[in-house]
Amino acid sequence: MTRRTLLGSATAVAAVAVTGAAAGPAAATGQAATTTAGSPPSTPARHGEVPAIWREFTRSPFTHPQIPYVGRAGLGGGAARLPRRRVVTDVRHHGAFAADGTTDCAPAINRAIAAAGRAGGGTVTIPPGTYRIDDLIRIGHSNVVLRGAGSGRTTLHATKNLTELIGAYGSRYGGDKSSWSWAGGLIWLAPTARLDSLVDAIRAKAWPFEGWTGNTRDAWQTLTTVEPARQGSWTVTVADASGLRPGALVLLRLADDADHTLLEHMSGGGPGPEAYSWDDKTKLTSYVPYEWPVRVARVRGRRVTLERPLPLDVRTEWDPRLTTHVEELTGSGVEGLTLEAVETPQSPHLLDKGYNGVVLQCAYDCWVDDVTVRHVDNGFGLVAASACTLRRTRVAGRGSHHPYFCREGSHDNLIEDFTIEERTVPAPAGTQLHGINVEGLSSYNVWSRGDMRMGTFDSHRGLPFANVRTDITVDNDGRHGGDASAGPLFGARFTHWNIRVTNGRAGLMKIDGLAPYSATVGVNEVTEFDQIDVPDFTGDLHARLELYGTTDAVRPRNLYEAQRGL
């Protein structure tokens, strides 16, 4: 049987599972009318309505024009269970003890993590209690897990910020901004060699690129060129498969041409993107080539099967290649603890000192589970991180600049069961709140089952595309960021699905008038105020709006889980 036949036979089963009724004519009779930007809201739908766009998607899930296929997002292709590593040591064996808060336990914790790395991996446990740390915690070896006794029982109390620990970090794009406003964590998961190179560059004031191909983007070699293929294909034909093996992580590298047809393709194509001025968007064009990490699933002759379907077309004019990259961090995680920074006032916008939480960088198939960060400048970060899962995470305390950030070409990540608490103190003048951020050509990321008591669905421009926010309650009081030189807020195939906006503010929630070839489905009635954005592209955006003006009526309720059901 073909993949298409198997998918078709599974669709009806999945539809019953996620809607409670068969996806057929009976379900179609309850469909709410599709509306376009500027039209009045639809009549509130009856509980459990299946929108037309979902039925369309099940017929062509890998190539649907408005909804991306994200059913493989997260660690292990969306594995329900996180890996369990055997316990190899306890931080007490290396000199870390919860005491009166006067002893710096960071050296002992890092020694324990290094010992686990030398042993080939395993779990490092931290018993209940509060442990003072005066340095950052580094997880730089694969298959190493740092596990506390639970986010309510084990606390790491961080006394210093990244500016004190590493140094001032300027922006590679100029100005007086602090890159600690969007980079680095006091718990930093990154390959040891990659993190060392970043720290060395920062201290030398040679502001680095932060991605998979090194500080100057030259740490890669071609494995093979790739023949043309279509978005959604799981198999590609290569010129030479001799350097490829199942299980290996490779980069699919797509450069752009002089007419910027790759960027146009990321935007859905057509007259709007074709008429857009790309040449002066220097920050955006610095993000290209698009680099997508993926594991090789099978090699048969020159045919190579990937563990995820292609995110974009592969065209000759984009010089498609499979390449090497810096060594990845894989199979590592942080679990069951709270990272609490010393409480200081939030810094003015873009001048963060680096009281940052947990960051995954050049990481693949890694995770964070049951972790709270408190009193941080920036909460949880994905920087050139892919196929990672953040589960049961929480941002709390005095208020953050970026509670969550996803940037520098981060793809296929899953953030689920997340909470952004309401700030405990008023926001100081000159600060800014974003929310769940995505930017810099990042794609196929999912935010699912969220409780956002402040913040917004933030894009920092840089043409993120094919990202999903689903089953989230949000008090929409944040603002988006991004330089004009970073280009469009949205590329194609953004989807907001079953979103409950408690304060009725439309900005960045209802995106049918902003995002090309995208979908807003099952959002309660909202009104423009305080932040009114204009589309980057002219003409028909080919965006869809269904079941607008409803609350929890759309079925499936959670788009990611329903795609997993397929």
Side-chain angles (χ1 to χ4, degrees), residues 5 112 148 165 227 347:
T5 303
L165 296 173
E227 294 185 6
S347 296

Side-chain angles (χ1 to χ4, degrees), residues 38-54:
S39 61
S42 62
T43 301
R46 293 188 300 274
H47 187 70
E49 287 214 54
V50 182
I53 199 170
W54 169 251

Side-chain angles (χ1 to χ4, degrees), residues 7 10 14 18 54 57-58 61-62 64 66-73 77 309 444 446 468 470 495 497 556 558-566:
L7 177 64
V18 299
W54 169 251
F57 176 83
T58 61
F62 308 129
H64 193 276
Q66 281 98 6
I67 295 179
Y69 175 72
V70 293
R72 298 281 288 174
Y444 294 86
V446 178
V468 168
T470 184
T495 301
W497 185 285
N558 186 293
L559 180 62
Y560 169 73
E561 292 173 358
Q563 290 195 20
R564 290 286 298 156
L566 295 177

